[in-house]
Amino acid sequence: MISDASAIILLRSDTDPNSPEVFLVKRSDTLAFLAGIHAFPGGQIDESDRDVEVRNCDDRQLATMISGAARELFEELGVLLVHGGELLTKGQRASLLDDLEAGRMSWPTLLQHYELHLDANDFTFVGRWVTPPFSLRRFDTWFFLATCPPRQEPKVIPGELASGEWIEASEAYNRWLRSEITAVPPTLHGLKTLSAGMTSDLVERFLSTPIAQGEPVRRIEFRPNYICFPVRTPTRPPATHTNCYIVYSSTEMLIFDPGSPYEDEQLALASTIDELRLEGRSVREIVLTHLHPDHVGGVNTLRKHLGDNVGVAAHKATAEALSEIEADHLIEDDEFLTLHGEPTINLRALHTPGHARGHLCFHDAKRGILLTGDNVLGLGSVLIDPPEGNMIDYMKTLERLRSIPDVTILFGGHGPAIATPYRKLDEYINHRLEREQNILAAVESGITEPAEIVRAVYTDVSPKAYAMAERAVVAHLEKLSAEGKIEPLK
Ligand SMILES: [Zn+2]
């Protein structure tokens, strides 16, 4: 499902048009969607947004979007971008906000009651972006450029946001280039566009790309030089796509997990790779994180497209299990894959079994980036299906990933990037340990059949997930038995 949303690129009043300052916020670490990521304030449209009248606007939908943007700006930062409210004191605005938050007054009632009104001329439409289909929560977000009213100072109201600051767009963009912040495509596009100054063609530059006009984003660069390119695959629900990653320098690139068996998706990926080749790069290798079909389904087609000199690299256990794909390079634990050019990128391979025997993760220590494959996901839960899956190995893998210092982002095989790596890894480890305790307790109470254990322990999952849960139970039982905590399995 795609929900309507709007967001505001808030400019500081009297900002220098050559180097405008914007209000950039950081999303809270505890959010389910895009936690810890830098963005512009905004959020989902509320039913009540439709009941607000906006002056100088005869388009109903546009009015609703403006109303939503203004409400979110007020709720998240306390900034009231209205006419008629110029005489309101800071204290009065705070009490209005309190009325709205506490539900004593709806947004339309509040505006009406205090004789405030929104004016479309205060909100410049600068794009419409649709969340890629790698996420369950998807938004069709309208972006507006607006200037912060003088004498109002945005202040992050604790909740969805962790912090916020005025920053020159060019400085924020440079922070992204230095891998210091994580941003989604519309944020990045906004910062980059404003970096060139508030020229007369500003709006035109904002709208110059089809992805700023509702066309789905394919190429997502949460961090520079790492393109996440979700491709549609026959994968496990709730995921519908597998993330292919293209890591590039000025002269070379590596392609991780071109997983789609579908021709249209293979073509889309090939054309993005071709664009990067036309800029003077060559494909070094196709690299596989592990053997599952949704990660390798497009390898042979891509290889044919790229020509014979492009090889496939994988762990030995992966290479041996794949009869249809020939691996030219066996990657061992601790081996470095180096991309030459600008910048030089060193990726250390980590053999991380658990989800699959030959699973590899890749760590870029300089940028704090960890490619986690299917060991850690931005969407859905990780399947541990013996004998390919192994819970003892998996727990060791999670601990190993957890022990790597200074990681700032996880790029998983499915779903959005994870900008809260240690929180996520702790959550994964604690979740498995808790399951294990409950499974042990079930066994001690006399339940022995995995299917019965699932019904006793997995009370929080839908029966649709029982088959997968049963495999996990078998994996936990193997681990408990190997550790001598339960009788050896028959
Ligand atoms: Zn997998």
Side-chain angles (χ1 to χ4, degrees):
M1 199 188 89
I2 302 183
S3 319
D4 286 335
S6 40
I8 286 218
I9 305 174
L10 191 67
L11 294 163
R12 195 167 200 166
S13 70
D14 294 323
T15 194
D16 175 3
N18 295 314
S19 188
E21 278 180 76
V22 293
F23 201 79
L24 192 66
V25 298
K26 185 170 182 256
R27 292 171 57 79
S28 164
D29 282 355
T30 54
L31 294 177
F33 184 68
L34 299 180
I37 276 178
H38 284 79
F40 297 122
Q44 206 171 326
I45 294 297
D46 191 274
E47 262 320 303
S48 71
D49 291 326
R50 301 179 204 284
D51 302 329
V52 172
E53 214 159 304
V54 177
R55 290 201 187 162
N56 295 313
C57 180
D58 41 24
D59 180 327
R60 232 11 267 167
Q61 194 183 12
L62 178 62
T64 300
M65 293 304 179
I66 288 175
S67 161
R71 181 185 46 74
E72 286 287 338
L73 184 66
F74 189 39
E75 288 177 343
E76 292 190 334
L77 301 177
V79 171
L80 194 52
L81 189 46
V82 297
H83 289 252
E86 293 80 1
L87 295 176
L88 289 174
T89 63
K90 201 173 159 190
Q92 284 170 320
R93 279 198 305 271
S95 101
L96 256 60
L97 182 58
D98 198 46
D99 283 343
L100 181 65
E101 295 292 83
R104 281 189 294 274
M105 239 185 241
S106 73
W107 175 235
T109 317
L110 180 146
L111 293 172
Q112 225 165 33
H113 187 83
Y114 292 93
E115 294 179 5
L116 309 171
H117 69 265
L118 301 175
D119 191 317
N121 293 334
D122 295 334
F123 301 81
T124 308
F125 173 76
V126 287
R128 190 170 166 180
W129 294 72
V130 178
T131 316
F134 66 0
S135 169
L136 284 190
R137 298 195 61 188
R138 296 181 65 195
F139 299 96
D140 179 347
T141 309
W142 295 42
F143 284 80
F144 297 95
L145 199 58
T147 301
C148 188
R151 295 186 301 280
Q152 286 196 48
E153 185 55 29
K155 191 174 163 282
V156 165
I157 292 153
E160 278 194 28
L161 305 180
S163 59
E165 62 175 330
W166 287 116
I167 183 170
E168 285 177 43
S170 56
E171 168 55 16
Y173 184 62
N174 283 327
R175 282 190 194 169
W176 175 80
L177 284 176
R178 294 193 298 264
S179 274
E180 291 167 11
I181 63 171
T182 304
V184 290
T187 311
L188 192 62
H189 179 69
L191 294 174
K192 197 176 167 184
T193 306
L194 282 167
S195 289
M198 294 175 61
T199 54
S200 56
D201 64 346
L202 180 67
V203 175
E204 212 175 298
R205 286 192 287 117
F206 259 104
L207 299 175
S208 64
T209 162
I211 46 175
Q213 302 189 42
E215 191 170 293
V217 176
R218 292 302 317 239
R219 189 181 150 157
I220 309 154
E221 220 163 328
F222 289 104
R223 289 288 180 84
N225 303 97
Y226 285 76
I227 296 171
C228 171
F229 195 96
V231 286
R232 201 175 77 256
T233 54
T235 185
R236 275 187 318 106
T240 55
H241 288 63
T242 298
N243 293 332
C244 167
Y245 289 94
I246 306 170
V247 183
Y248 68 92
S249 70
S250 56
T251 56
E252 295 185 297
M253 54 184 147
L254 289 166
I255 320 287
F256 292 83
D257 292 355
S260 183
Y262 307 127
E263 202 185 334
D264 56 336
E265 292 293 282
Q266 292 173 343
L267 281 171
L269 176 64
S271 86
T272 293
I273 294 170
D274 287 348
E275 278 169 34
L276 292 157
R277 288 160 93 198
L278 279 173
E279 291 167 4
R281 298 178 188 88
S282 59
V283 175
R284 164 73 79 78
E285 253 173 355
I286 297 167
V287 186
L288 309 180
T289 61
H290 67 294
L291 79 173
H292 287 147
D294 58 329
H295 291 256
V296 307
V299 171
N300 286 337
T301 315
L302 181 62
R303 194 176 196 178
K304 214 176 283 165
H305 175 79
L306 295 172
D308 281 341
N309 52 345
V310 175
V312 173
H315 187 268
K316 189 165 172 263
T318 302
E320 283 172 357
L322 290 171
S323 54
E324 313 266 295
I325 295 168
E326 213 178 306
D328 310 79
H329 167 194
L330 300 182
I331 300 178
E332 285 175 38
D333 185 49
D334 234 12
E335 182 176 328
F336 277 89
L337 304 183
T338 300
L339 284 178
H340 301 286
E342 194 45 53
T344 304
I345 297 173
N346 286 305
L347 283 168
R348 182 164 69 106
L350 309 166
H351 180 218
T352 45
H355 173 70
R357 287 191 185 99
H359 198 296
L360 293 169
C361 292
F362 296 89
H363 179 219
D364 176 343
K366 186 164 178 223
R367 294 169 189 80
I369 293 170
L370 193 58
L371 298 177
T372 59
D374 272 4
N375 278 323
V376 184
L377 304 176
L379 170 67
S381 48
V382 174
L383 173 67
I384 307 297
D385 183 4
E388 186 63 43
N390 181 296
M391 196 59 79
I392 299 174
D393 289 345
Y394 186 57
M395 293 307 285
K396 277 189 201 148
T397 281
L398 291 178
E399 292 290 354
R400 184 178 181 193
L401 298 180
R402 178 73 179 78
S403 74
I404 301 172
D406 306 319
V407 175
T408 53
I409 195 157
L410 305 178
F411 285 133
H414 306 276
I418 300 156
T420 52
Y422 298 105
R423 173 183 277 270
K424 188 59 142 189
L425 285 162
D426 282 342
E427 187 188 301
Y428 266 49
I429 292 167
N430 293 334
H431 173 72
R432 295 287 177 180
L433 289 177
E434 196 185 313
R435 284 279 194 241
E436 185 174 291
Q437 280 309 312
N438 292 337
I439 290 167
L440 181 60
V443 173
E444 283 168 350
S445 78
I447 309 175
T448 51
E449 285 305 312
E452 279 176 61
I453 296 176
V454 168
R455 280 192 292 278
V457 172
Y458 287 69
T459 48
D460 54 335
V461 306
S462 120
K464 276 191 224 156
Y466 279 5
M468 175 180 164
E470 198 174 320
R471 300 311 299 157
V473 166
V474 172
H476 276 296
L477 292 174
E478 283 179 1
K479 177 169 181 284
L480 287 166
S481 141
E483 290 168 349
K485 291 179 184 162
I486 60 171
E487 296 287 311
L489 295 178
K490 280 163 253 152

